Amino acid sequence: MANLASKLRLPAFKETEWQIMAGPVLIMLILAMMVLPLPAFLLDTLFTFNIVLSLMILLVAMFTQKTLEFSAFPTVLLFSTLLRLALNIASTRIILMEGHTGAAAAGRVVEAFGHFLVGGNFAIGIVVFAILIIINFMVITKGAGRIAEVGARFVLDGMPGKQMAIDADLNAGLIGEAEAKRRRSEVTQESDFYGSMDGASKFVRGDAIAGLLIMAINVIGGLTIGVLQHGLSVAEAGETYTLLTIGDGLVAQIPALIISTAAGVIVTRVSNDEDIGEQMVSQLFNNPRVMVLSAGVIGLLGLIPGMPNFVFLMFTAILLGLAWWMRGRQMKQPAAARRGIADDKDSASAQAANDHASAEASWEDVEMEDVLGLEVGYRLIPLVDSTQDGQLLVRVRGIRKKFAQEMGFLPPPIHIRDNLDLAPGHYRILLKGVEIGSGDIESDRWMAINPGYAEGTLPGTPCVDPAFGLPACWIDEVLREQAQIQGFTVVDPSSVIATHLNHLITLHTEELFSRQETQQLLDRITKEMPKLVEDLIPGVISVTLFHKVLQNLLAERVSIRDMRTIIDTLAEYAPVQSDPDELTSQVRVRLGRAITAQWFRNDDDIKVIGLDSALERLLIQSLQSGSAIEPGIAENLMRQADRAITEQQSLGVSPVVLVNPALRTMVSRFLRRAFPQLGVLSTMEISNNKTVQMTAVIGTSA
């Protein structure tokens, strides 16, 4: 066979790959049944297969523990509906063509359903068929369709919350990336399934309507053909064709009813570790009091004269016996539980004694401090709880992603936890276990911040913006639009905390860049420039020195995204220079264009603060002699720098001091402690195409 397949150049199918052909083959068979006339034996076979298929679908639906275990149900429902309709078409064709020959014209299955199940009485058959249609159409299908519709709406509405919960667990480190992908896929599959079920329920509803129409067409068409073409009397034609039609309808509607029930089972189940049968038995028959009350009611009815006393009293006895048996089981369980608890207590006491005797400190007792942490009071828990539509986790993820894109490395995860020792609306931000910022939040109100040009006042609770110290007030949400019209910047509580957190991360960037981040960055660069990194580290420059240079850059908010330029510069100067400050200065000169753009954007004319020539000479002398700046000069320098920064901000330009390259590092470290918003650039870092204008000068005298 394999040789024949190879000679015919047929593809070699594996055993599992043959399953792929099931769908196309089934579609072709359905189309063939609609077009080609089928013999009675084949029709019997297909009707039997339809019944078996419907039973299999129902049993699979009963034994599934989770809805997604039978995620193919909407597709199966579509194919089974098409199969029934195709069988209806095939049976209608053969009934109308061969119905005059007798009751066996459409096969033994149709004959059996038309004669045996309804006793050969077409009137009874019509009634039974109508009842089946009503049950299927009005009860099961309608209820299952409604449940599917509501379930789809709730699942789709809850999808964003589930995705946020997964992202929160991933961000908190509770799950890995693989588990997060699996959960996201499961959520997507669940939404797709319920969305499909909402539409698939219409298949069953349409099938019931089609059954009624097909029955009417068969009866009318049979009477017409039997009387006009085959010369039968109206009574003979009516009885023959009606019985065949009833048999055909019953043999199709019973599987339809079974599959409708399966659809109802699928959409009504609640996912747990039990299948439908186990749920029903365990939850219906778990309370003996229910059995006793039911027995009492049915027993009283059994004592009424004229009632079926024997049957009612028999069920009374059965229910009482069941209740007695269940009560006995429940009494045994607590006794066993008590014995188990006593044994557990004894073993626990013995274990505790042993532990106490042999207790020693271990490395498990050592807890590593989180690099970044956020602690919130209990009133702020909804802001960080994804199940309560908390937006702070999303903002935190956005902060980390934006920071990574701007600065060139990924900051450590921010661990968020509640702290009952804090005030209800208080939060604090920790860096390596030490508080670096805090604030108070009113979670049900909005903060209106005055950026400096807002007009008027607002009714609310005065406060201060925790990030930048601007005057603000807490207002109700109804005043939000009014505040914006007056010029206030209105932000929600989550944004207040997120802005504060982002500001503090920016101020402490160099502390967030540890050896671990350095190694992760090197691993990332190695994938793109392996040869360059191998030649540089550790042969030319050590990891420690490389880390220090990058820290120096980050301390002054210089992005390290341009790693190619940084590595090229270090490869050039590191063989002859090992001082990290000097190497940092050389890297800054190479990154001058980016640094200039960072502070002055695309302005051709840049306004800066300069140093008086006399002050520069004094600072250079202090630097060369290795002595500190004189206290008087230092005080005057701080005072004039503060005034110059105020003037720059009033002009709407960035506060930048332009100094001699030799003085840049010293002046930057001196001023940055008091003025973190100040930038200190050397003349060599300014792009050549920029026109420099001194708007303020810092001198030796006031």
Side-chain angles (χ1 to χ4, degrees), residues 64-138:
T64 52
Q65 296 180 353
K66 296 181 179 180
T67 305
L68 292 181
E69 291 181 4
F70 200 8
S71 58
F73 182 77
T75 306
V76 173
L77 186 62
L78 171 62
F79 281 115
S80 63
T81 303
L82 285 176
L83 178 62
R84 280 195 309 277
L85 294 175
L87 285 174
N88 280 327
I89 294 173
S91 61
T92 297
R93 182 188 295 109
I94 197 171
I95 288 172
L96 296 180
M97 291 177 61
E98 307 292 339
H100 64 281
T101 60
R108 299 291 297 173
V109 175
V110 174
E111 183 183 9
F113 275 82
H115 283 77
F116 178 74
L117 292 184
V118 298
N121 192 322
F122 67 89
I124 297 174
I126 291 175
V127 173
V128 172
F129 181 78
I131 291 173
L132 285 176
I133 290 289
I134 291 171
I135 293 173
N136 192 10
F137 183 70
M138 298 297 296

Side-chain angles (χ1 to χ4, degrees), residues 224-239:
T224 304
I225 293 174
V227 174
L228 299 180
Q229 293 187 2
H230 301 290
L232 300 177
S233 65
V234 176
E236 292 175 343
E239 182 177 358

Side-chain angles (χ1 to χ4, degrees), residues 29 45 47 76 83 177 197 200 225 233 239 254 323 408-409 522 590 659 665 687 698:
L29 288 175
T45 305
F47 273 127
V76 173
L83 178 62
E177 187 66 33
M197 280 300 301
I225 293 174
S233 65
E239 182 177 358
I254 290 176
F409 78 95
L522 283 173
R590 294 289 182 88
V659 299
T665 302
S687 302
I698 301 174

Side-chain angles (χ1 to χ4, degrees), residues 86 144 278 282-283 325 346 354 439 483 516-517 549 580 606 614 653 689:
E278 292 173 337
S282 62
Q283 296 177 21
W325 177 73
D346 295 338
N354 294 332
Q516 181 178 352
E517 279 72 31
V549 172
I606 58 178
V653 297
N689 59 342

Side-chain angles (χ1 to χ4, degrees), residues 115-420:
H115 283 77
F116 178 74
L117 292 184
V118 298
N121 192 322
F122 67 89
I124 297 174
I126 291 175
V127 173
V128 172
F129 181 78
I131 291 173
L132 285 176
I133 290 289
I134 291 171
I135 293 173
N136 192 10
F137 183 70
M138 298 297 296
V139 182
I140 299 176
T141 303
K142 191 172 183 179
R146 179 59 178 166
I147 294 173
E149 181 182 347
V150 175
R153 186 170 71 247
F154 278 104
V155 167
L156 294 175
D157 290 345
M159 188 175 176
K162 293 180 180 179
Q163 295 283 11
M164 289 169 58
I166 296 169
D167 293 339
D169 291 344
L170 179 62
N171 186 66
L174 300 177
I175 58 175
E177 187 66 33
E179 178 65 15
K181 288 182 179 179
R182 188 193 65 79
R183 290 190 183 182
R184 291 192 189 101
S185 176
E186 187 173 321
V187 170
T188 304
Q189 289 179 11
E190 188 177 7
S191 64
D192 292 342
F193 174 79
Y194 279 97
S196 300
M197 280 300 301
D198 186 21
S201 60
K202 305 299 188 295
F203 296 152
V204 184
R205 185 180 180 91
D207 185 33
I209 297 173
L212 285 173
L213 296 177
I214 291 172
M215 184 187 72
I217 292 170
N218 281 349
V219 171
I220 297 172
L223 286 172
T224 304
I225 293 174
V227 174
L228 299 180
Q229 293 187 2
H230 301 290
L232 300 177
S233 65
V234 176
E236 292 175 343
E239 182 177 358
T240 302
Y241 287 99
T242 303
L243 284 176
L244 287 172
T245 301
I246 295 300
D248 178 42
L250 290 175
V251 82
Q253 283 304 311
I254 290 176
L257 183 63
I258 294 174
I259 291 181
S260 300
T261 306
V265 169
I266 287 289
V267 297
T268 55
R269 68 167 296 108
V270 178
S271 297
N272 58 12
D273 295 332
E274 298 178 334
D275 57 48
I276 289 293
E278 292 173 337
Q279 289 182 24
M280 291 172 59
V281 173
S282 62
Q283 296 177 21
L284 274 176
F285 301 100
N286 66 346
N287 193 345
R289 288 179 295 179
V290 175
M291 301 292 117
V292 173
L293 291 174
S294 301
V297 173
I298 201 72
L300 292 175
L301 292 175
L303 297 177
I304 299 175
M307 287 288 188
N309 307 99
F310 175 75
V311 177
F312 280 21
L313 295 177
M314 180 184 67
F315 272 98
T316 302
I318 293 173
L319 290 172
L320 290 174
L322 185 61
W324 178 78
W325 177 73
M326 291 170 60
R327 181 61 179 168
R329 287 189 62 186
Q330 291 183 356
M331 291 177 66
K332 290 179 181 180
Q333 290 176 355
R338 286 194 295 270
R339 289 195 299 271
I341 291 171
D343 296 339
D344 291 342
K345 286 184 177 178
D346 295 338
S347 61
S349 302
Q351 184 66 31
N354 294 332
D355 292 343
H356 182 73
S358 60
E360 292 184 1
S362 66
W363 283 104
E364 298 296 330
D365 299 324
V366 179
E367 295 184 2
M368 303 298 292
E369 196 69 67
D370 296 329
V371 179
L372 280 173
L374 173 63
E375 295 183 350
V376 298
Y378 68 85
R379 281 185 187 169
L380 303 183
I381 292 177
L383 299 180
V384 298
D385 188 359
S386 59
T387 61
Q388 302 183 50
D389 199 24
Q391 295 295 314
L392 188 55
L393 292 174
V394 180
R395 305 286 172 80
V396 169
R397 286 194 299 273
I399 289 171
R400 293 185 70 219
K401 186 173 182 179
K402 183 181 178 183
F403 183 90
Q405 293 172 346
E406 291 180 351
M407 301 307 297
F409 78 95
L410 183 66
I414 302 167
H415 292 273
I416 304 174
R417 63 178 66 87
D418 61 284
N419 188 347
L420 298 180

Side-chain angles (χ1 to χ4, degrees), residues 426-652:
H426 191 73
Y427 73 91
R428 63 174 188 164
I429 300 169
L430 307 176
L431 177 62
K432 300 178 181 178
V434 180
E435 181 179 324
I436 58 174
S438 62
D440 292 288
I441 297 293
E442 297 188 17
S443 57
D444 56 344
R445 307 181 79 184
W446 291 64
M447 178 179 282
I449 304 170
N450 186 354
Y453 51 80
E455 300 178 353
T457 59
L458 292 171
T461 306
C463 62
V464 177
D465 172 35
F468 304 102
L470 298 173
C473 66
W474 290 104
I475 62 173
D476 296 328
E477 190 174 359
V478 295
L479 300 174
R480 181 182 173 186
E481 293 186 4
Q482 178 186 340
Q484 291 174 340
I485 293 172
Q486 292 180 219
F488 288 88
T489 302
V490 184
V491 293
D492 62 282
S494 297
S495 298
V496 174
I497 301 176
T499 303
H500 194 190
L501 180 63
N502 184 48
H503 179 64
L504 293 176
I505 289 176
T506 305
L507 292 180
H508 299 84
T509 303
E510 73 278 12
E511 296 186 59
L512 302 178
F513 189 74
S514 64
R515 286 287 295 263
Q516 181 178 352
E517 279 72 31
T518 304
Q519 190 60 54
Q520 291 174 345
L521 182 60
L522 283 173
D523 295 340
R524 174 72 175 85
I525 301 169
T526 305
K527 295 180 180 179
E528 296 185 3
M529 301 177 289
K531 184 62 178 175
L532 187 61
V533 176
E534 290 174 4
D535 293 343
L536 181 67
I537 299 174
V540 178
I541 186 174
S542 64
V543 177
T544 302
L545 185 56
F546 182 70
H547 170 230
K548 184 60 180 176
V549 172
L550 296 182
Q551 262 192 331
N552 289 342
L553 294 171
L554 293 170
E556 299 189 61
R557 290 175 289 172
V558 177
S559 174
I560 58 175
R561 290 183 301 172
D562 189 5
M563 283 306 298
R564 190 181 302 273
T565 300
I566 296 173
I567 291 177
D568 289 343
T569 307
L570 293 176
E572 181 179 350
Y573 290 97
V576 296
Q577 179 63 257
S578 61
D579 184 41
D581 293 335
E582 292 295 330
L583 290 174
T584 304
S585 298
Q586 295 296 336
V587 173
R588 285 182 61 95
V589 172
R590 294 289 182 88
L591 296 174
R593 185 182 296 105
I595 296 174
T596 304
Q598 173 189 346
W599 286 102
F600 305 106
R601 300 181 180 87
N602 296 322
D603 300 334
D604 294 330
D605 297 330
I606 58 178
K607 298 178 175 64
V608 298
I609 304 168
L611 295 183
D612 184 72
S613 57
L615 178 60
E616 281 194 351
R617 284 194 299 270
L618 288 174
L619 294 177
I620 290 174
Q621 290 175 2
S622 300
L623 183 63
Q624 290 174 350
S625 62
S627 60
I629 304 175
E630 295 181 5
I633 297 177
E635 183 182 355
N636 185 61
L637 180 60
M638 296 290 288
R639 185 173 60 254
Q640 292 195 38
D642 187 19
R643 186 177 59 191
I645 292 172
T646 304
E647 292 178 2
Q648 289 288 96
Q649 290 177 343
S650 64
L651 296 174

